[in-house]
Amino acid sequence: CSASTNKPTLTLFTKKPCPLCDEAKEVLEPYKRRFILQEVDITLPENSAWYDKYKYDIPVFHLNGKFLMKHRVDIPKFEDRLRKLELQNE
């Protein structure tokens, strides 16, 4: 079964410190086997475009490269989007 290699990628746009980001990661903990978490530190020079876009909005989440949510984890929305991606990959 190749489903494990097709896990959706959840990108977290963050910076240090970010208490809301830490909180968001805790909320997502029960789901972590279902996606790959990729963190992008928007304060790094190579991420300046993301910094300009999201400096007042972190945490910001993209699922498979598409904007999903910001500030707080919207569990129903996240579950819905994740389930749709999982069904596509079956």
Side-chain angles (χ1 to χ4, degrees):
C1 177
S2 66
S4 61
T5 58
N6 284 337
K7 277 194 214 170
T9 300
L10 185 69
T11 307
L12 165 60
F13 293 90
T14 184
K15 65 183 179 187
K16 303 226 177 327
C18 177
L20 282 177
C21 302
D22 297 337
E23 190 182 302
K25 284 191 276 189
E26 278 177 35
V27 172
L28 292 167
E29 187 71 19
Y31 302 93
K32 71 176 187 203
R33 279 189 214 78
R34 294 170 59 191
F35 63 85
I36 295 157
L37 181 65
Q38 176 185 29
E39 292 189 43
V40 175
D41 183 340
I42 63 170
T43 61
L44 297 176
E46 65 267 26
N47 297 326
S48 62
W50 292 117
Y51 179 82
D52 293 341
K53 193 169 182 179
Y54 291 145
K55 61 187 166 205
Y56 303 119
D57 289 321
I58 60 164
V60 175
F61 293 92
H62 286 196
L63 189 58
N64 277 6
K66 292 197 182 106
F67 175 82
L68 180 65
M69 55 198 171
K70 64 183 180 182
H71 302 152
R72 299 224 176 271
V73 175
D74 179 340
I75 288 292
K77 184 178 193 176
F78 174 68
E79 279 185 345
D80 179 59
R81 208 65 80 69
L82 191 58
R83 196 173 312 110
K84 283 179 180 151
L85 285 170
E86 288 168 343
L87 289 172
Q88 279 174 13
N89 288 335
E90 276 178 11

